[in-house]
Amino acid sequence: MKLRLGTALGLSTDQIRRMTSAELPLPHEPQCLNLDTFAAIADWYHYAILELTRVEGFQSNVAWIAQRLGITRTEANIAIERLFKLQLLKETSYGQWIDTSENGELTHLTPSQTSEAARAYQCQLLELSKKTVQEVPLSKRNHTSAAFCFDPEDLPQAIERITEFRRAFAREFKPRTSKEVFQIQISFFPLTKMKG
């Protein structure tokens, strides 16, 4: 039955097998930080450090983290201190650092908010994305885009669908242990000068 239904939906055999064998997590909302907390950790590597705690062979060591993320030891040290102070990172009795954010997910703002820190954060991610286009082989990244006509009245629904997709994608491909930290970034914006 599942195979027939999946095939009718246009799914591959591997997709059907993965969906039927996987334990599907209950949907939940990520922890939402207030503006002040987000402003304190608005540099991209704060989020990356939290995710890095789940990588195979993670070392609770400033130098190791700095090397893995390509940031300075000073940047890593300050970020780690902030994460501990905000109780988003803690040390176990074994000396291992772990991410303590709710559900292992957090978001910086509600969908209707923005701030100077949020704009700077997104610009940092765009710069990192540009850098990977130049430095990372195509087989290890994906940068694609599409231009199409769109009715601005559908924007709230489109933003909701993008948010749902991004969260579902991250949950589906988030293994218990992994080797690397990746960033998913979806941009959706007008190419024309909007009227009114």
Side-chain angles (χ1 to χ4, degrees), residues 6 27 36-37 57 59 71 80 84 88 90 95 97 108-109 116 122 133 138 146 148 150 167-168 174:
D36 292 336
T37 302
Q59 295 179 29
I71 60 177
I80 290 163
F84 272 109
L88 294 170
K90 79 171 189 176
W97 298 343
H108 54 281
L109 301 168
E116 189 57 40
Q122 289 300 324
V133 168
L138 186 58
F148 59 94
F150 181 79
R167 288 180 181 163
K174 189 173 198 170

Side-chain angles (χ1 to χ4, degrees), residues 20-147:
T20 57
S21 65
E23 289 182 27
L24 297 175
L26 294 173
H28 59 273
E29 289 297 313
Q31 177 181 350
C32 189
L33 302 176
N34 65 45
L35 290 171
D36 292 336
T37 302
F38 174 70
I41 62 166
D43 289 309
W44 67 270
Y45 44 81
H46 290 88
Y47 288 89
I49 289 168
L50 293 175
E51 284 299 314
L52 199 56
T53 64
R54 296 177 179 82
V55 169
E56 290 175 12
F58 172 74
Q59 295 179 29
S60 301
N61 176 289
V62 172
W64 184 86
I65 290 170
Q67 185 274 326
R68 287 288 284 154
L69 296 178
I71 60 177
T72 68
R73 287 185 187 192
T74 301
E75 288 170 323
N77 194 47
I78 291 170
I80 290 163
E81 285 178 11
R82 284 182 186 146
L83 292 168
F84 272 109
K85 185 176 181 179
L86 294 168
Q87 299 180 349
L88 294 170
L89 195 64
K90 79 171 189 176
E91 188 171 359
T92 68
S93 58
Y94 301 106
Q96 189 72 8
W97 298 343
I98 59 170
D99 176 1
T100 59
S101 60
E102 188 178 318
N103 302 318
E105 291 182 27
L106 51 97
T107 187
H108 54 281
L109 301 168
T110 64
S112 62
Q113 292 178 308
T114 192
S115 68
E116 189 57 40
R119 287 187 286 273
Y121 173 73
Q122 289 300 324
C123 287
Q124 286 179 1
L125 295 179
L126 289 170
E127 287 301 317
L128 287 170
S129 183
K130 274 175 53 177
K131 187 175 177 184
T132 62
V133 168
Q134 300 297 324
E135 299 176 3
V136 177
L138 186 58
S139 62
K140 297 185 185 287
R141 64 173 177 82
N142 179 267
H143 286 85
T144 58
S145 62

Side-chain angles (χ1 to χ4, degrees), residues 55 111 157 166 188:
V55 169
Q157 182 183 357
R166 182 177 38 80
F188 184 64

